[in-house]
Amino acid sequence: MKIVSNPQQLQEISTRLRKDQLTIGFVPTMGYLHEGHRALLKEAREQNEIVIMSIFVNPLQFGPNEDLESYPRDFERDKQVAIEEEVDYLFHPTVEEMYPEQMSVTVKVGRRTNCLCGRSRPGHFDGVATVLTKLFHLVQPTNVYFGKKDAQQVAVVDGLIQDFHFPINLVDVNTVREEDGLAKSSRNIRLTPTERQEAGILYKSLSLARAELIKGQDNLELLKKQVMDLIERESSGKVDYFEILTYPRLEMVKELTGEIIIATAVQFGKARLIDNIIFELENTPR
Ligand code: PAF
């Protein structure tokens, strides 16, 4: 595995690889790798001749009161994971290398962000779309891999790829869960042992809401309230949002049919956890 930190050097490498007609699978990450990342890397390894992973904690996607400084980092361990998952190139630039000066042009995401995490994290998806635009130009991937846990991010990247005509295939990979259903996340490390016990409530509440919808519950406001009450009754978590929307457009549900996303964000002490379930509803009149 080769570690590259210079953006231009990475671009030269991928230009050469594409000239040699090799397929490139790209897994963009912010490091502190867990099973969810391994699932992305495994899929990339299976489907491409070359696998490139980036590890870069992107300041542009953190708000002023968010956890940029304290975002967990462990490059030595991540390097080991990358070797185990047979990554060919590990791109690990510094902030100065990625942003030598303030950007004069950035990407602004206009749709699919006025809900879920986009609402409570203004500017977050602009930062994600901007860094991904840079990374896509550097890596020139054939396929790019994202976890469905960040479903809104997948929806935004889908828009970015379509709107800017990136010749890239987007692959979304199923969420990897702990035994009690908690989605694997770098932020889980911040949970106290008690909060960790309680955090299974996210998946439990999403599953409950899905079961109610399948049974025909059509009062979405009532259902959301019941489930939010349940989370706050059974845990110390504070619900940031609990939403039921169409997928991937992330619009209000008018008819209980087609692809639906139920998504939640819950703040536990120092950790803000997100999770979602995406599923198809049979045609049920509301
Ligand atoms: O999902 C992440 O880790 C980040 O948002 C990404 C896609 C690497 C962009 O910085």
Side-chain angles (χ1 to χ4, degrees):
M1 182 179 76
K2 189 169 166 52
I3 299 176
V4 182
S5 82
N6 182 294
Q8 210 167 337
Q9 193 192 349
L10 179 75
Q11 197 174 45
E12 282 162 17
I13 290 170
S14 40
T15 302
R16 184 169 42 75
L17 293 168
R18 293 305 298 253
K19 232 190 215 146
D20 291 346
Q21 311 229 325
L22 295 170
T23 52
I24 300 177
F26 176 42
V27 181
T29 82
M30 299 205 300
Y32 215 75
L33 305 174
H34 52 70
E35 288 305 314
H37 295 109
R38 281 189 193 262
L40 303 182
L41 290 168
K42 283 190 177 23
E43 200 144 332
R45 186 67 279 170
E46 257 176 48
Q47 298 173 352
N48 302 273
E49 283 145 329
I50 300 292
V51 174
I52 301 183
M53 172 166 69
S54 62
I55 294 182
F56 178 64
V57 181
N58 171 38
L60 253 55
Q61 68 191 73
F62 288 79
N65 299 318
E66 291 184 356
D67 56 350
L68 172 63
E69 294 310 319
S70 64
Y71 193 85
R73 294 162 168 90
D74 188 346
F75 185 64
E76 284 311 308
R77 213 186 101 235
D78 288 348
K79 207 164 74 184
Q80 211 41 50
V81 173
I83 292 168
E84 282 166 26
E85 299 302 335
E86 299 174 50
V87 168
D88 297 297
Y89 295 91
L90 176 54
F91 181 49
H92 182 52
T94 61
V95 172
E96 291 70 31
E97 282 170 310
M98 277 300 268
Y99 302 115
E101 54 185 319
Q102 199 183 356
M103 301 271 289
S104 45
V105 179
T106 57
V107 179
K108 187 157 174 48
V109 185
R111 290 169 73 185
R112 304 182 180 190
T113 53
N114 190 19
C115 55
L116 309 180
C117 291
R119 192 177 306 186
S120 48
R121 303 185 71 187
H124 168 70
F125 286 110
D126 296 348
V128 171
T130 300
V131 79
L132 286 177
T133 300
K134 284 168 81 78
L135 288 167
F136 288 170
H137 286 303
L138 296 175
V139 178
Q140 305 169 57
T142 321
N143 298 299
V144 67
Y145 295 80
F146 289 93
K148 278 191 194 160
K149 181 172 92 66
D150 297 310
Q152 189 168 23
Q153 177 163 272
V154 175
V156 166
V157 177
D158 174 61
L160 177 71
I161 288 177
Q162 282 186 41
D163 292 351
F164 286 88
H165 307 279
F166 282 106
I168 300 174
N169 177 44
L170 169 60
V171 184
D172 56 353
V173 177
N174 285 339
T175 303
V176 181
R177 300 183 179 281
E178 306 279 0
E179 243 170 56
D180 64 348
L182 177 66
K184 301 249 184 184
S185 160
S186 309
R187 289 188 169 105
N188 292 351
I189 182 105
R190 302 221 185 101
L191 295 167
T192 63
T194 312
E195 287 165 352
R196 170 63 196 86
Q197 291 265 310
E198 296 173 347
I201 192 71
L202 267 84
Y203 188 61
K204 195 170 142 193
S205 66
L206 292 168
S207 306
L208 191 95
R210 174 178 54 188
E212 288 298 310
L213 287 175
I214 291 171
K215 266 198 259 163
Q217 167 64 278
D218 62 357
N219 187 338
L220 300 192
E221 288 313 310
L222 179 70
L223 177 58
K224 283 195 277 187
K225 185 172 177 333
Q226 282 171 343
V227 181
M228 286 196 283
D229 286 349
L230 172 83
I231 297 173
E232 297 200 347
R233 205 169 50 241
E234 290 202 1
S235 76
S236 55
K238 292 275 160 287
V239 181
D240 180 359
Y241 63 73
F242 193 97
E243 302 263 9
I244 302 170
L245 300 168
T246 65
Y247 189 81
R249 288 177 174 266
L250 306 182
E251 288 167 351
M252 228 173 77
V253 174
K254 295 206 183 92
E255 254 185 285
L256 280 177
T257 177
E259 275 222 283
I260 302 278
I261 178 168
I262 311 178
T264 188
V266 181
Q267 184 75 43
F268 279 93
K270 292 198 182 108
R272 182 176 179 279
L273 305 184
I274 62 168
D275 199 359
N276 68 76
I277 301 186
I278 299 166
F279 63 105
E280 185 92 20
L281 260 186
E282 306 262 305
N283 203 346
T284 339
R286 262 195 94 179

